[in-house]
Amino acid sequence: MGRINIWVKRAFICVCVLIGIISTLLLAITLFGHGHFHQSEEIDKMLPGIAVLYVLDAATLALSIFGVYGARKEKKWAVILFSVGMSLASLYLFVNCVKGYQAKHEMEELSRKEDLAMMPLSGAKQNDIEQMYYFQANFKCCGLVQGYQDWGTDIPLSCLCSDEDSTDFKCVARGNNTRFVIHYPNSDMSEDDDHKGLMDEHMLVYKEPCLPILIPFMGYAISLMIGTLVALNALWDVGVALAITILCQMRRKVDVPPVIFTSQPPRYRELCDTAESV
């Protein structure tokens, strides 16, 4: 068996360790996401994708362990298992990256339809309303299409434009027939608490609706996810290339200098004979 180059061996072990760490993090994120969406109404649709993530993360973690073992102990079967398994995983990830890039526009349109399905916001589900609260507070917007008017007469406090925000974001005065509410109907609060409003006429609301902000943000998130998967795929390919290099070095024979046997007597015998003759 041939001798493995020490630098190639170290580089391969480092890549395997990095793959193992990333796989462990992805497995933890998958577990957290599964637990977070366990009570969601969309969980049935998400289960096939979650199962694939479990299998992919666990498989790459196990393959990284085999890779480190094969390189350190110079076990050809372990390195072969790593190279074949990671090649299949890399091919699967590459195909899904291409599909995801091609379906980017369709996913943006699907997100637009799902957001518009919440209209009118005055009769939206509690989960959708809480989601809108989060969007409005973080993206400094109000409503989906027509701004604060999408909320009808009860405008949530997440649309409130503070004095600090008024200098950086466009704010407008709300209508006279509207009021700010702290808790929206269908919440856990009592009916009297739900309809407690703040009636200050000088309060402003964010002018920009959220939908024109959410769709580009969704496209950016999709592009970022695809870019991350491409970088991960490149790391897997580097590991496969190093594994193949190690396998080639294992098969290469080491040149051993030939051993020559001779029947001639040693030279010190000849020196001794010369000394005696003198």
Side-chain angles (χ1 to χ4, degrees):
M1 184 178 293
R3 180 179 295 274
I4 302 176
N5 184 281
I6 186 63
W7 295 109
V8 176
K9 181 178 179 179
R10 289 179 178 177
F12 177 70
I13 292 176
C14 290
V15 171
C16 288
V17 171
L18 184 58
I19 292 175
I21 294 174
I22 294 175
S23 300
T24 304
L25 292 176
L26 292 177
L27 186 59
I29 293 173
T30 304
L31 287 170
F32 175 79
H34 190 185
H36 179 73
F37 293 104
H38 182 68
Q39 301 295 336
S40 176
E41 298 177 356
E42 304 287 332
I43 188 62
D44 293 336
K45 298 179 181 178
M46 299 171 63
L47 281 178
I50 293 175
V52 171
L53 290 177
Y54 276 131
V55 174
L56 189 62
D57 296 339
T60 52
L61 177 59
L63 289 172
S64 65
I65 296 174
F66 281 117
V68 173
Y69 173 76
R72 291 183 62 88
K73 300 298 184 180
E74 298 189 7
K75 300 293 184 180
K76 185 183 295 185
W77 66 268
V79 180
I80 292 176
L81 181 62
F82 173 87
S83 60
V84 173
M86 293 304 296
S87 297
L88 295 176
S90 178
L91 180 61
Y92 174 81
L93 190 62
F94 176 77
V95 171
N96 281 272
C97 287
V98 174
K99 290 182 179 180
Y101 181 79
Q102 294 176 345
K104 177 183 175 182
H105 180 70
E106 296 179 2
M107 287 188 286
E108 291 177 352
E109 287 298 320
L110 179 61
S111 177
R112 182 191 298 272
K113 292 180 181 179
E114 291 179 351
D115 291 338
L116 291 176
M118 292 189 289
M119 298 290 291
L121 296 178
S122 57
K125 298 179 181 179
Q126 184 64 23
N127 292 336
D128 294 336
I129 291 174
E130 293 176 356
Q131 185 177 3
M132 282 300 303
Y133 283 2
Y134 175 81
F135 288 153
Q136 291 173 157
N138 286 274
F139 293 100
K140 309 300 181 182
C141 56
C142 186
L144 283 174
V145 180
Q146 297 180 348
Y148 73 92
Q149 299 177 7
D150 293 338
W151 288 102
T153 58
D154 294 341
I155 304 174
L157 279 180
S158 54
C159 287
L160 177 62
C161 183
S162 62
D163 295 335
E164 297 177 357
D165 294 335
S166 61
T167 57
D168 300 326
F169 301 92
K170 294 181 180 179
C171 301
V172 295
R174 57 188 175 84
N176 295 329
N177 297 326
T178 61
R179 62 178 178 176
F180 289 107
V181 292
I182 300 176
H183 298 283
Y184 205 77
N186 299 327
S187 67
D188 295 334
M189 301 297 292
S190 64
E191 185 176 355
D192 294 336
D193 293 332
D194 288 336
H195 291 85
K196 286 182 179 179
L198 303 175
M199 304 302 294
D200 190 348
E201 297 179 355
H202 299 289
M203 286 185 173
L204 302 178
V205 295
Y206 296 116
K207 178 180 179 181
E208 298 296 330
C210 293
L211 190 62
I213 301 175
L214 291 177
I215 299 304
F217 177 80
M218 177 63 67
Y220 172 78
I222 295 173
S223 299
L224 181 62
M225 181 182 65
I226 294 175
T228 303
L229 294 179
V230 170
L232 182 61
N233 193 22
L235 178 64
W236 291 358
D237 291 338
V238 170
V240 172
L242 291 174
I244 294 175
T245 303
I246 289 177
L247 288 174
C248 293
Q249 292 179 354
M250 284 181 175
R251 296 186 61 181
R252 187 175 58 193
K253 294 182 178 180
V254 179
D255 295 332
V256 180
V259 179
I260 301 176
F261 297 94
T262 178
S263 59
Q264 296 180 356
R267 290 183 178 274
Y268 73 86
R269 295 282 302 274
E270 295 179 359
L271 293 175
C272 294
D273 295 341
T274 305
E276 290 177 357
S277 62
V278 174

